[in-house]
Amino acid sequence: MSDRIPCINPRCRRTASSDKHPDSAEIICGKCFCCLPASVRAEHRRLWRELRKWERRITRTADDLKANRMRRVRDRLEDNLNRHWISDVRPNFFEPGRPEGLASFLEEVGFGTN
């Protein structure tokens, strides 16, 4: 199992090859990604698109000074992507919110918070 990386969802049993994702400690499978709220998915995709765009630009440039400036932009985007992963993606699986109406239902049944 050491050559496989599990999905971050603890209830999901999917894995990915560590050969395809050598720098990743965590991954999210496609099915679990689709379960995320639409706003989180959209932001994650936007950050990935921007990151890949800057990486392509860096590989095409021949000017070292320009490439260094582009690397700084890419590094900032990478930090934003990591921050988004930690603050918005991971909590959806490790700290799921309670559904609305659960507190009032529990109070009706007699299990209210005291």
Side-chain angles (χ1 to χ4, degrees):
M1 189 77 175
S2 64
D3 62 336
R4 307 294 292 175
I5 303 170
C7 178
I8 64 167
N9 185 353
R11 293 170 292 284
C12 178
R13 299 184 48 85
R14 291 178 186 81
T15 60
S17 172
S18 60
D19 296 337
K20 288 184 180 178
H21 308 281
D23 299 333
S24 300
E26 296 178 322
I27 57 116
I28 184 168
C29 70
K31 189 173 183 180
C32 293
F33 185 76
C34 288
C35 293
L36 290 172
S39 60
V40 174
R41 286 192 321 253
E43 179 66 11
H44 195 74
R45 285 182 178 134
R46 185 191 68 78
L47 288 168
W48 264 114
R49 271 195 305 270
E50 284 290 316
L51 185 64
R52 286 192 310 260
K53 177 177 75 174
W54 284 99
E55 286 176 350
R56 283 191 308 269
R57 286 180 177 175
I58 290 168
T59 59
R60 287 192 306 242
T61 188
D63 185 12
D64 288 335
L65 184 61
K66 196 173 186 180
N68 284 334
R69 282 185 290 192
M70 286 188 217
R71 283 187 194 99
R72 284 196 301 261
V73 171
R74 182 203 54 198
D75 292 343
R76 250 191 329 225
L77 281 168
E78 211 166 58
D79 290 342
N80 287 344
L81 183 65
N82 290 335
R83 197 173 309 116
H84 179 262
W85 180 267
I86 291 168
S87 66
D88 294 334
V89 175
R90 290 187 91 232
N92 280 295
F93 297 108
F94 295 108
E95 303 164 5
R98 290 191 336 184
E100 290 194 24
L102 182 61
S104 60
F105 172 75
L106 290 175
E107 286 177 11
E108 283 179 25
V109 176
F111 292 110
T113 57
N114 292 337

